[in-house]
Structure formats: C-alpha cells, structure tokens
C-alpha cells in the first residue's frame, strides 16, 4: 500500500511514499535489535545526554517542525510551535530525572542485601496517532529510551513526513538505529508484534485499534500500554465562576480543532446555571477564528482527513435526528479542505452518538443535569474513562467530586492536559497503563529483585 500525505487545509496531495516491504522491514528490525544490545548497557548519564541533544535540536529546528505539523494535519501554527516545545520539555524532563527514577531500591529483608533494579525490556514498538504527531511519539519514546529500550515507530499513515522528521531528530541525537521509523500499514504493524525481537508495544489510538493490538500482544505474552479514546466530562456546578468555566470549556473542547482524546467532549451543566453558562460559552465560540492554519491568528484549522469529517458529521446528524438541538454550526464548511464549523449541540441524551460515543472534532455536546449528584452520575455514565474536569468555587467540593470521577486524571477548575511530571492514561475503554512521570518510565522495564545472603 502507498502512504499518502495530504494538506487538509486544501485537500492537495503532498507526497506519496511506498510502504516498506517485508525484506525492508526485516532489515530495519535487525538493525534496531543489534543497536538495542549496546544501548541497554549504556550508562544513564549518556542516555540523558542524548535526550538533551534531542531537546536542543527540537528547539533549533522548531519552525521547520511546526510547519510540517501544520502542513500534514492542519494544526494551527501557534499550537504546532507549542507542541514542538512540549517535546523538548519532555526530553529534558527524562534527561534530568531518569537516574532518580531508575535507581536501585534497597528493601529491608532478612537477607544480607536485597534490592530492586530496573532493566530495559528490549525493543518497543510504538504505534502512534496523527493528532499530536510529534508529542505523542515523544511522550512514548523519551521515557522508553531513557530506560535503555530501543524504539520502532509506526506512525499514522497520514503524517509520514512528521514520522521521518522524528527519526531524523533521534538519529542525530542518539546512537545509530536506537530509534527508527517504519513507513508501514496497520496490518504490517500488527504482524510485527509476533516477532521475537519486539519485546513490548504501546499504542495511542482508537478503541477498535486498541482491542486488536491488545489481543495481538496478549497472544504473544508481551507487555502493552494503551491510550485510547475518551469522552471526557466537563462538569459545571452551580457555584462555578461561569466566565472562567466558559473560557476553560472553549479551550478544552476546541484545542487542536477538537481532535484530542482529552478534549471536553461532554459538557455537563446543572440546570440552575445552564442557560447563563451557554450564553457565555456560545459568545466565546462565535469569536473563534477558523481558517488558514499557517496564520498566527487562526484558532481552528481543518480536520485532518475527509473521512474523519464525514464520520463526525454523520454522528452530529444522527444525534439531531434523535432529539439533540443544534445551537451553532453542525455543518461542514463549503469549499476546499476538510473544515467543519464550530458546533454546539444542546439537549444531548443517552442513545445519541454525542452522548454514547467519542466525537473527534469541533463539536461541543451539552448535557443537562438536575444537580451535582446527577452531574456525577452522568459524568461516570460512559464506557470511556480518560479524563474529566469539574468547575466550582469550592475547592473541597471539587476535590471530592474529582475523586469520585471514573477516569485516569481529574482536574478541578482546569482543563485536562498532559504534563511530563504527571502520569497520563485511562481506565475502562480508554485503555490501561501510564505514560509520563515516574510511572511512564517504569512501564517498559523489568523490575528485577536481587537477593543476596
């Protein structure tokens, strides 16, 4: 199969790459496997220095990498610059903390000496998505490389130039073949999991892809981490600062064109403040500037692909046909590119795609709740469990609410976001395992017990 990259702002085909054949895949896999042996025993200080070099290159070439992100997936250039900087920060975080995170831990036993030592597993296959084409790859690769693993990246097929640029960064900063990119299709990647030179797999992607990869990894008894879809609740309680809540909801739902697993996809409002909040929220949405993603003043670019826009619109139409009320947008933008109007659906209820499924695009779904208890019930009434937010003027109430939310990260008076210092991941159909922080670097290591009398 051919790997095709298009400009989603225009629909223009940019480049076509042939997918690697089985012989080429085998060659790259053998090169990475051989490099993995030396990398596993490289001192942590040297690994950290490599990560520092990667951070330096990211910043030195920030404008080029950001332009590539915008070109291939339509992210507004301002957000693309921030994504490149976040990758550099992530590399620095593990460069500064890997030694502490991987230090031997002495355990008090009746032996003369007992401790836990953390050793790399080998080669990690990282299957990554298009929506944050640099950050998703770096947040998986940086801790894995810091731990002494090698990494093979199978990136989304619509961002091959980003995938090759990421390989360029790591090849320039690390020993040869410790990190490589494979331009291959999903079925080829799935077959790779069975190869004995692959020791673990991590996937960020859809629930459907997650189930397939988990099954393939499980059949081979290989460690896997899955960060899948989300339908995050954004709850506004009666005592919330409504202006601030509307600002946060706008940022959370429409960042990256709404194409984020941790976007505020279900905005849950208690009835006493619902109309007041919606007036403020709708006013903010009307101010969002949609258009050319290469302009610094653009807030919202196109969706990444035509099929994604079509699927989103069908979900919107199906929700409206079953009773949801369109308050804004809810239509594709006419003309070139894959733009979808800033959209707001009200009166969303169970049985609608906007309630039950993940809407991956610039559509905000509003659900009415009777009170705080009902809002919590609705927040947890989802098969997903990635993140969630609650807005309230009472921090204690917010903390109690956050504890009761069924998700991997809950934010009080803030939008859900990833941070290298905090573990990131979900529960239920949003996956398992954690990326980032201490937990992320220890996902792909052997916690080995050493006991000496």
């Amino acid at each position: 199969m051919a790997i095709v990259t298009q400009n989603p702002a225009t629909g223009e085909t940019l480049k076509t790459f042939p997918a690697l054949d089985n012989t080429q895949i085998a060659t790259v896999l053998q090169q990475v496997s051989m490099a993995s042996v030396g990398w596993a025993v490289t001192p942590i200080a040297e690994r950290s220095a490599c990560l520092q070099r990667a951070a330096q290159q990211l910043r030195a070439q920030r404008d080029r990498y950001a332009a590539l992100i915008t070109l291939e997936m339509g992210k507004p250039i301002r957000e693309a610059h921030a994504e490149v900087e976040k990758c550099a920060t992530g590399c620095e975080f593990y460069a500064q903390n890997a030694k502490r995170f991987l230090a031997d831990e002495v355990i008090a036993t009746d032996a003369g000496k007992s401790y836990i030592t953390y050793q790399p597993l080998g080669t990690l296959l990282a299957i990554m998505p298009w929506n944050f084409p640099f950050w998703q790859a770096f947040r998986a690769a940086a801790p894995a490389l810091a731990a002494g693993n090698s990494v093979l990246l199978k990136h989304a097929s619509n961002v091959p130039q980003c995938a090759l640029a990421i390989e360029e960064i790591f090849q320039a900063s690390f020993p040869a073949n410790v990190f490589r990119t494979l331009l291959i299709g999903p079925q080829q990647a799935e077959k790779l999991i069975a190869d004995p030179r692959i020791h673990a797999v991590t996937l960020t992607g859809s629930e459907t892809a997650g189930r397939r990869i988990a099954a393939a990894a499980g059949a081979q008894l290989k460690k896997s981490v899955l960060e899948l879809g989300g339908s995050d609740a954004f709850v506004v309680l009666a005592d919330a600062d409504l202006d601030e809540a509307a600002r946060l909801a706008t940022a959370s739902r429409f960042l990256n064109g709404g194409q984020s697993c941790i976007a505020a996809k279900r905005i849950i409002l208690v009835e006493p403040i619902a109309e007041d909040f919606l007036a403020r929220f709708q006013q903010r949405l009307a101010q969002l500037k949609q258009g050319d993603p290469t302009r610094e003043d653009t807030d919202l670019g196109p969706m990444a692909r035509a099929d994604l826009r079509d699927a989103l619109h069908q979900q919107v139409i199906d929700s409206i046909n079953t009773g949801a009320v369109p308050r804004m947008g809810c239509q594709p933008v006419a003309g070139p590119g894959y733009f979808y109007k800033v959209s707001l659906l009200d009166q969303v209820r169970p049985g609608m795609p906007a309630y039950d499924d993940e809407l991956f695009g610039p559509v905000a779904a509003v659900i009415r709740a009777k009170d705080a208890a009902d809002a919590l019930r609705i927040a947890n009434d989802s098969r997903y469990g990635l993140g969630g937010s609650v807005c309230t003027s009472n921090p204690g109430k917010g903390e109690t609410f956050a504890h009761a939310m069924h998700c991997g990260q809950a934010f009080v008076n803030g939008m859900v976001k990833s941070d290298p210092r905090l573990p990131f991941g979900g529960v239920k159909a949003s996956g398992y395992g954690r990326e980032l922080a201490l937990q992320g670097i220890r996902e792909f290591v052997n916690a080995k017990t050493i006991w000496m009398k």
Side-chain angles (χ1 to χ4, degrees):
M1 62 167 282
I3 310 255
V4 179
T5 175
Q6 293 182 314
N7 181 345
T10 64
E12 171 195 7
T13 296
L14 301 169
K15 285 188 178 182
T16 300
F17 299 84
L20 299 183
D21 61 29
N22 290 337
T23 300
Q24 292 169 315
I25 293 170
T27 297
V28 173
L29 184 54
Q30 184 61 22
Q31 290 171 339
V32 173
S33 181
M34 292 175 65
S36 184
V37 176
W39 183 245
V41 296
T42 298
I44 291 178
E46 291 183 32
R47 296 181 213 155
S48 297
C50 292
L51 284 167
Q52 291 283 13
R53 287 196 292 272
Q56 291 165 5
Q57 179 160 340
L58 281 159
R59 291 199 175 101
Q61 298 289 322
R62 185 194 70 158
D63 290 347
R64 179 165 74 91
Y65 297 140
L68 197 55
I69 292 170
T70 296
L71 180 68
E72 283 204 303
M73 65 77 50
K75 188 189 304 288
I77 190 67
R78 186 176 67 246
E79 294 180 14
H81 279 126
E83 181 173 338
V84 176
E85 174 58 30
K86 192 169 187 176
C87 293
T89 300
C91 288
E92 288 174 336
F93 174 80
Y94 281 105
Q96 295 161 5
N97 291 285
K99 183 177 180 180
R100 176 169 62 90
F101 289 162
L102 299 171
D104 291 347
E105 294 183 38
V106 176
I107 306 297
T109 67
D110 57 355
K113 183 179 182 182
S114 298
Y115 61 97
I116 304 167
T117 190
Y118 296 97
Q119 299 179 333
L121 293 181
T123 298
L124 172 67
L125 175 62
I127 304 172
M128 293 291 113
W130 49 264
N131 57 330
F132 290 89
F134 268 59
W135 171 237
Q136 303 276 19
F138 272 86
R139 83 180 188 194
L145 292 166
N149 297 294
S150 57
V151 176
L152 269 174
L153 171 64
K154 188 281 174 203
H155 218 325
S157 296
N158 59 321
V159 290
Q161 294 182 89
C162 287
L164 293 171
I166 293 167
E167 180 183 70
E168 166 195 296
I169 294 165
F170 283 117
Q171 287 280 65
S173 308
F174 284 70
N177 299 317
V178 167
F179 180 103
R180 292 293 300 274
T181 282
L182 292 173
L183 294 185
I184 59 177
Q187 291 182 336
Q188 291 171 294
E190 199 171 323
K191 290 179 181 177
L192 263 182
I193 296 171
D195 193 292
R197 291 166 292 185
I198 297 293
H199 301 95
V201 59
T202 183
L203 166 82
T204 297
S206 69
E207 178 186 350
T208 300
R211 292 181 186 279
R212 291 179 63 92
I213 295 303
Q220 301 298 323
L221 300 180
K222 292 180 180 179
K223 177 67 182 292
S224 62
V225 166
L226 305 178
E227 194 268 278
L228 308 178
S231 188
D232 287 9
F234 185 96
V235 178
V236 184
L237 298 181
D239 62 350
D241 178 333
L242 297 186
D243 284 325
E244 176 63 4
R247 184 190 71 80
L248 287 170
T250 303
S252 181
R253 187 62 193 100
F254 293 94
L255 178 75
N256 204 38
Q259 300 167 120
S260 170
C261 295
I262 51 173
K265 298 195 177 79
R266 294 178 299 138
I267 298 173
I268 301 168
L269 310 175
V270 294
E271 279 291 1
I273 53 85
E275 290 301 331
D276 198 357
F277 171 88
L278 282 170
R280 299 162 198 248
F281 185 47
Q282 196 160 341
Q283 185 178 33
R284 285 186 172 274
L285 300 193
Q287 294 170 355
L288 292 174
K289 184 173 182 179
Q290 186 174 40
D292 181 355
T294 66
R295 292 179 56 93
E296 287 284 348
D297 60 346
T298 294
D299 299 308
L300 208 67
M303 293 187 64
R305 300 197 312 257
D307 62 310
L308 298 171
R309 183 178 70 169
D310 292 345
L312 176 70
H313 187 53
Q314 190 61 56
Q315 289 176 304
V316 169
I317 293 302
D318 289 346
S319 296
I320 292 170
N321 287 341
T322 49
V325 177
R327 291 181 68 137
M328 283 184 69
C330 297
Q331 290 288 337
V333 176
Y338 312 134
F339 293 89
Y340 197 86
K341 291 182 179 181
V342 176
S343 301
L344 178 60
L345 282 172
D346 195 5
Q347 303 292 344
V348 170
R349 295 184 178 87
M352 302 175 182
Y355 186 101
D356 297 329
D357 301 323
E358 179 180 30
L359 269 58
F360 212 69
V363 180
V366 171
I367 304 167
R368 309 291 186 108
K370 292 179 291 187
D371 51 27
D374 193 37
L376 179 61
R377 178 192 63 78
I378 294 168
N380 290 335
D381 185 27
S382 172
R383 70 179 185 276
Y384 296 109
L386 192 52
S389 301
V390 58
C391 296
T392 172
S393 62
N394 185 324
K397 182 196 296 184
E399 187 173 4
T400 299
F401 197 101
H403 270 280
M405 297 180 85
H406 300 165
C407 56
Q409 45 267 315
F411 282 55
V412 180
N413 294 324
M415 59 181 278
V416 180
K417 56 187 176 182
S418 60
D419 183 319
R421 297 166 294 185
L422 301 172
F424 183 90
V427 296
K428 301 192 285 187
S430 290
Y432 52 75
R434 291 295 178 265
E435 296 178 299
L436 302 176
L438 165 68
Q439 290 77 6
I441 201 171
R442 290 189 179 175
E443 282 286 2
F444 296 112
V445 295
N446 173 20
K448 180 188 287 185
T449 295
I450 304 292
W451 187 96
M452 299 175 62
K453 189 170 181 179

